[in-house]
Amino acid sequence: MPQCYPCVLRRALCSAERVSDDEWLQQKVVDESMRFLRETEQRSVPAEMVGDLLRSVQEVLGSADPWREHRERWLSEMQEAESGMRSLVEGDQDPLGRALLVSARCNVFANEILQSKSIREDLRRLGIRQGDPCDQEFVHDDRERFETALSEAENLLFLHDTAPELPSDKVLIEQLHRQKPGISVCSVVNYQPLLLKACEPDARKVALEGEIGSKEVLYNRGGGLGLVPDDCSGTLREAIDGADVIVAKGASHYQTLSGRGLPVFSLLRAKCPVTAASQSCRIGDLLFIRID
């Protein structure tokens, strides 16, 4: 949609700035992006459109992963905060509810164009950084429906968003196991790097697989910002079809999974005017919603 174009162009330019300060190259990326937007299929949801555009931008830049350093730095910083998040969750009267809120709050990283200071200010609300803790609540909360579905579930599929969120997602998965002992959890990350999206090396670094973690990590080889079931095959397609509950982090998964009739609970932070308008909320609000 046209409202997404300014953000798309900004993301493309930020990717170019990660590679070079050459103004000619940056202008070439902007020109290529504008050409792509003119020619793109308008029926595509924003997440698919942005993913396709940014892959073409990486080809222009000659870099398969311009965000690698930025992604790894934030992931390392959030790993250092993992024990603090776990203590915060385990010390709460409602550990699962707190774990859901912490994981949603960490969804701030999906907006790569934010300055580091803005991200740190937002994370301070977790209560794990110096500053006044802020006890956030979900503006739209389908927790009751989720717990009902979880109580009957045997297989849960967790679709991760960005790499820096993985430590908070891991803490949440631990609480899902405590809420429903014996449930089988599979994680899904990207196979190829794109922006700050979690991919194979990131999953290994945070050790997502474990006794009270994910049974296994599967890879979305489509390589986009959000998982598109029609593009999946093999083990991942079987996991999607066999999931009793799907937890999907971020607006991109929300967009690509809406209207598919899957048992999806979307966990995200409203980071842009388009998402906020679609959910009748404010930018920055936390959402935990059942989508069909």
Coordinates of all heavy atoms in Angstrom, one line a residue, residues 2 11 16 38 43 46 122 125 131 135 151 153 166 170 182 184-186 190 199 206 214-215 219 245 251 268 275:
P2 N 0.4 2.3 -0.6 CA 1.2 3.6 -0.7 C 1.8 4.1 0.6 O 2.9 4.6 0.7 CB 0.2 4.6 -1.3 CG -0.8 3.7 -2.0 CD -0.9 2.5 -1.2
R11 N 14.2 2.0 4.5 CA 14.9 0.8 4.8 C 16.0 0.5 3.7 O 17.1 0.0 4.0 CB 14.0 -0.4 4.9 CG 13.2 -0.4 6.2 CD 12.3 -1.6 6.3 NE 11.8 -1.8 7.6 CZ 11.2 -2.9 8.1 NH1 11.1 -3.9 7.2 NH2 10.8 -3.0 9.3
A16 N 21.8 0.6 2.2 CA 23.0 1.1 1.4 C 24.0 1.8 2.3 O 25.2 1.7 2.1 CB 22.4 2.1 0.3
R38 N 7.2 0.9 -8.6 CA 6.4 1.2 -9.8 C 5.9 -0.1 -10.4 O 4.8 -0.2 -10.9 CB 7.1 2.1 -10.8 CG 7.2 3.5 -10.4 CD 7.6 4.4 -11.6 NE 8.9 3.9 -12.2 CZ 10.1 4.4 -11.8 NH1 10.2 5.3 -10.8 NH2 11.2 3.9 -12.4
R43 N -1.0 -6.5 -5.5 CA -1.8 -7.4 -4.6 C -1.0 -8.0 -3.5 O -1.5 -8.7 -2.6 CB -2.4 -8.6 -5.5 CG -3.5 -8.1 -6.4 CD -4.2 -9.3 -7.0 NE -3.3 -10.1 -7.8 CZ -3.1 -10.0 -9.1 NH1 -3.7 -8.9 -9.7 NH2 -2.3 -10.8 -9.8
P46 N 2.4 -6.0 2.3 CA 3.6 -5.2 2.4 C 4.8 -6.0 2.8 O 5.9 -5.8 2.3 CB 3.2 -4.2 3.6 CG 1.8 -4.0 3.4 CD 1.2 -5.4 3.0
D122 N 13.3 2.3 24.7 CA 12.1 1.5 24.7 C 12.4 0.2 25.6 O 11.5 -0.2 26.3 CB 11.8 1.1 23.3 CG 10.4 0.4 23.2 OD1 10.3 -0.8 23.4 OD2 9.5 1.2 22.9
R125 N 11.8 0.0 29.4 CA 10.5 -0.3 30.0 C 10.4 -1.7 30.4 O 9.4 -2.1 31.1 CB 9.4 0.1 29.0 CG 9.5 1.5 28.5 CD 8.4 1.8 27.5 NE 8.6 3.1 26.9 CZ 7.7 3.6 26.0 NH1 6.7 2.9 25.6 NH2 8.0 4.8 25.4
G131 N 16.5 2.4 35.2 CA 15.4 3.3 34.9 C 14.2 2.8 35.6 O 14.2 1.7 36.3
D135 N 5.1 -1.3 33.8 CA 4.3 -2.5 33.7 C 3.3 -2.4 32.6 O 2.2 -2.0 32.8 CB 3.6 -2.8 35.0 CG 2.9 -4.2 35.1 OD1 3.2 -5.0 34.2 OD2 2.1 -4.4 35.9
S151 N -3.9 -25.5 26.2 CA -4.2 -26.6 27.1 C -4.6 -27.9 26.3 O -4.4 -29.0 26.7 CB -5.4 -26.2 28.0 OG -6.6 -26.1 27.2
A153 N -3.3 -28.4 23.1 CA -2.3 -28.6 22.0 C -1.2 -29.6 22.4 O -0.8 -29.8 23.5 CB -1.6 -27.2 21.8
L166 N 15.5 -13.1 20.1 CA 15.6 -14.5 20.4 C 15.8 -14.9 21.9 O 15.1 -15.8 22.4 CB 16.7 -15.2 19.6 CG 16.5 -15.3 18.0 CD1 17.7 -15.9 17.4 CD2 15.2 -16.1 17.7
K170 N 13.2 -17.2 23.8 CA 13.6 -18.4 24.5 C 13.0 -18.5 25.9 O 12.6 -19.5 26.4 CB 15.1 -18.4 24.6 CG 15.7 -19.7 25.2 CD 17.3 -19.6 25.1 CE 17.9 -20.8 25.9 NZ 19.4 -20.7 25.9
G182 N 5.2 -31.3 28.4 CA 5.1 -32.3 27.3 C 4.8 -31.8 25.9 O 4.8 -32.5 25.0
S184 N 5.3 -30.2 22.4 CA 6.4 -30.2 21.5 C 6.5 -28.8 20.8 O 5.5 -28.4 20.1 CB 6.2 -31.3 20.4 OG 7.3 -31.2 19.4
V185 N 7.6 -28.1 20.9 CA 7.7 -26.7 20.3 C 8.8 -26.8 19.2 O 9.9 -27.3 19.5 CB 8.2 -25.7 21.4 CG1 8.3 -24.3 20.8 CG2 7.1 -25.7 22.5
C186 N 8.4 -26.3 18.1 CA 9.4 -26.1 17.0 C 9.6 -24.6 16.7 O 8.6 -23.9 16.6 CB 9.0 -26.9 15.7 SG 9.1 -28.7 15.8
N190 N 14.6 -17.6 9.6 CA 15.0 -17.5 8.1 C 16.2 -18.3 7.9 O 17.1 -18.5 8.7 CB 15.2 -16.0 7.7 CG 14.0 -15.4 7.2 OD1 12.9 -15.8 7.6 ND2 14.2 -14.3 6.5
C199 N 18.2 -15.7 11.8 CA 18.5 -16.8 10.8 C 19.4 -17.9 11.5 O 19.5 -17.9 12.7 CB 19.2 -16.2 9.6 SG 20.6 -15.1 9.9
V206 N 22.1 -18.6 20.4 CA 21.3 -18.5 21.6 C 20.8 -19.9 22.1 O 20.1 -20.0 23.1 CB 20.0 -17.6 21.4 CG1 20.4 -16.2 21.0 CG2 19.1 -18.2 20.4
S214 N 13.2 -25.4 22.2 CA 12.5 -25.9 21.0 C 13.0 -27.3 20.7 O 14.2 -27.6 20.9 CB 12.7 -25.0 19.8 OG 12.1 -23.8 20.0
K215 N 12.1 -28.2 20.3 CA 12.5 -29.5 19.9 C 13.5 -29.5 18.7 O 14.5 -30.3 18.7 CB 11.3 -30.4 19.5 CG 11.6 -31.8 19.1 CD 10.3 -32.5 18.7 CE 9.9 -32.0 17.3 NZ 8.7 -32.8 16.8
Y219 N 13.8 -24.0 9.0 CA 14.2 -22.8 8.3 C 13.2 -22.4 7.2 O 12.8 -23.3 6.4 CB 15.6 -23.0 7.8 CG 16.6 -23.3 8.8 CD1 17.0 -24.6 9.0 CD2 17.0 -22.3 9.7 CE1 17.9 -24.9 10.1 CE2 17.9 -22.6 10.8 CZ 18.3 -23.9 10.9 OH 19.2 -24.3 12.0
V245 N -1.1 -25.0 17.6 CA -1.0 -23.5 17.9 C 0.2 -23.0 17.2 O 1.3 -23.6 17.2 CB -0.9 -23.3 19.4 CG1 -0.8 -21.8 19.7 CG2 -2.1 -23.9 20.2
A251 N 4.9 -7.9 12.8 CA 3.8 -7.5 11.9 C 4.0 -8.3 10.5 O 2.9 -8.5 9.9 CB 3.9 -6.0 11.6
L268 N 3.1 -9.0 18.9 CA 3.9 -7.9 18.3 C 3.7 -6.6 19.0 O 2.8 -6.4 19.8 CB 3.4 -7.8 16.8 CG 2.0 -7.2 16.5 CD1 2.0 -6.6 15.1 CD2 0.9 -8.3 16.6
T275 N 0.1 -0.5 10.8 CA -0.2 -1.5 11.7 C -1.1 -1.0 12.8 O -2.1 -1.6 13.2 CB 1.0 -2.1 12.4 OG1 1.9 -2.7 11.4 CG2 0.7 -3.2 13.4

